[in-house]
Amino acid sequence: MGIISLEQTNRLYWLGRYSERVYTTIRLYSKCYDDMIDDIGDNFADFCTQLEIPNIYKDKEDFNARYAFDENDENSILSNLMRAYDNAIVLREEIGSETLSYIQLAIYAINKAKISRAPLLELQNVEDNILAFWGIADDFIDSETTRNIIKTGKRIERIDLYARLKIGQRELRRELHRMETRLIKSGMSYEKERLERLRGLIEEPAAGDALGWRSIVEEVENLVQI
């Protein structure tokens, strides 16, 4: 593969981000769904607050139907999966048909989940296909740069979501180390000072139990310049 254009770089980066967003939000949504089915509470409002998305849902039934499967809801799992697909289909030559096929299989699985009486089982198949997509990308994409751009997007999205969800310092450290390696090898332009600040926010012992969650999100969101 020759020189990667800015448009290709942007699409590869967002392919990584959207595929990760689908994977992680399915895991969070599944926990929320189980709690509501078990009548633990209508906690979808907290879910929306954590992810900083508008709570446009009337009740838990509306949330369960629309957040996962409404393509007209720009924050839904399906919408993010379709954005991943839109980038992947344009990048067919760069990533290969085998890699693309797992995004297509994920769409097939989420459409089955939409009409299933046990949607979480089908959503597990979406997760499995996203995992297979990442695995086959490492195996089938010859260009190391292409792989690194996708994986940089994936790790940046994971840091962003983990910080929003306040998942923990140990997890953030692990993702930061993985992201840094990919970012440096990707050849993408990034702000070194911002990376230093991000490293400091994640690596330094927190005051009490509180990390600078909001600052981490702001730094990682603006790290890469495409």
Side-chain angles (χ1 to χ4, degrees), residues 37-74:
I37 292 297
D38 293 337
D39 289 326
I40 294 175
D42 293 350
N43 58 348
F44 65 89
D46 292 337
F47 179 97
C48 295
T49 299
Q50 281 185 302
L51 292 182
E52 298 183 359
I53 62 175
N55 182 4
I56 60 174
Y57 312 104
K58 294 181 294 185
D59 50 38
K60 64 182 181 182
E61 288 78 16
D62 187 47
F63 170 78
N64 285 336
R66 294 176 60 194
Y67 177 74
F69 307 117
D70 185 358
E71 194 171 352
N72 294 317
D73 179 354
E74 65 178 5

Side-chain angles (χ1 to χ4, degrees), residues 11 18 20-21 24 43 47 62 68 114-115 123 137 161 165 168-169 171 190 194 197-198 206 217:
R11 287 190 177 278
Y18 285 130
E20 171 60 32
R21 190 173 302 175
T24 294
N43 58 348
F47 179 97
D62 187 47
K114 187 174 183 177
I115 59 175
L123 285 175
L161 290 171
L165 301 171
Q169 188 175 24
E171 291 81 0
Y190 65 95
R194 198 176 288 278
R197 291 196 296 270
L198 180 63
V217 171

Side-chain angles (χ1 to χ4, degrees), residues 150-175:
I150 295 172
K151 293 299 179 73
T152 297
K154 170 186 173 180
R155 297 299 175 189
I156 282 179
E157 184 69 23
R158 187 169 288 186
I159 291 170
D160 183 309
L161 290 171
Y162 280 16
R164 291 177 193 273
L165 301 171
K166 300 180 180 179
I167 283 183
Q169 188 175 24
R170 183 177 66 178
E171 291 81 0
L172 283 171
R173 283 174 174 166
R174 183 177 64 246
E175 297 305 325

Side-chain angles (χ1 to χ4, degrees), residues 10-203:
N10 185 63
R11 287 190 177 278
L12 290 165
Y13 173 74
W14 281 102
L15 172 57
R17 291 201 62 165
Y18 285 130
S19 60
E20 171 60 32
R21 190 173 302 175
V22 169
Y23 178 76
T24 294
T25 54
I26 285 177
R27 295 173 67 192
L28 183 64
Y29 168 78
S30 297
K31 174 65 165 63
C32 184
Y33 183 96
D34 279 340
D35 288 346
M36 288 189 289
I37 292 297
D38 293 337
D39 289 326
I40 294 175
D42 293 350
N43 58 348
F44 65 89
D46 292 337
F47 179 97
C48 295
T49 299
Q50 281 185 302
L51 292 182
E52 298 183 359
I53 62 175
N55 182 4
I56 60 174
Y57 312 104
K58 294 181 294 185
D59 50 38
K60 64 182 181 182
E61 288 78 16
D62 187 47
F63 170 78
N64 285 336
R66 294 176 60 194
Y67 177 74
F69 307 117
D70 185 358
E71 194 171 352
N72 294 317
D73 179 354
E74 65 178 5
N75 294 301
S76 73
I77 295 170
L78 177 56
S79 289
N80 284 309
L81 181 55
M82 293 308 300
R83 292 187 189 104
Y85 174 75
D86 288 344
N87 283 295
I89 196 71
V90 174
L91 294 164
R92 182 191 292 268
E93 294 299 319
E94 286 73 27
I95 67 174
S97 297
E98 296 88 350
T99 308
L100 170 63
S101 68
Y102 283 95
I103 298 295
Q104 294 170 321
L105 286 170
I107 293 172
Y108 176 74
I110 203 170
N111 285 326
K112 285 187 66 178
K114 187 174 183 177
I115 59 175
S116 173
R117 293 185 178 181
L120 295 190
L121 294 178
E122 296 297 338
L123 285 175
Q124 179 63 59
N125 290 332
V126 179
E127 289 184 75
D128 291 345
N129 281 303
I130 295 295
L131 289 171
F133 161 74
W134 290 330
I136 205 166
D138 276 335
D139 197 34
F140 276 73
I141 297 176
D142 291 331
S143 169
E144 182 180 6
T145 300
T146 297
R147 296 196 305 271
N148 284 325
I149 294 171
I150 295 172
K151 293 299 179 73
T152 297
K154 170 186 173 180
R155 297 299 175 189
I156 282 179
E157 184 69 23
R158 187 169 288 186
I159 291 170
D160 183 309
L161 290 171
Y162 280 16
R164 291 177 193 273
L165 301 171
K166 300 180 180 179
I167 283 183
Q169 188 175 24
R170 183 177 66 178
E171 291 81 0
L172 283 171
R173 283 174 174 166
R174 183 177 64 246
E175 297 305 325
L176 174 67
H177 296 158
R178 292 173 174 175
M179 184 274 290
E180 279 192 85
T181 301
R182 295 286 186 176
L183 176 60
I184 292 168
K185 292 181 177 180
S186 73
M188 287 190 291
S189 178
Y190 65 95
E191 293 188 35
K192 294 182 179 180
E193 295 81 5
R194 198 176 288 278
L195 180 58
E196 288 293 332
R197 291 196 296 270
L198 180 63
R199 188 183 298 117
L201 286 164
I202 294 175
E203 293 284 5

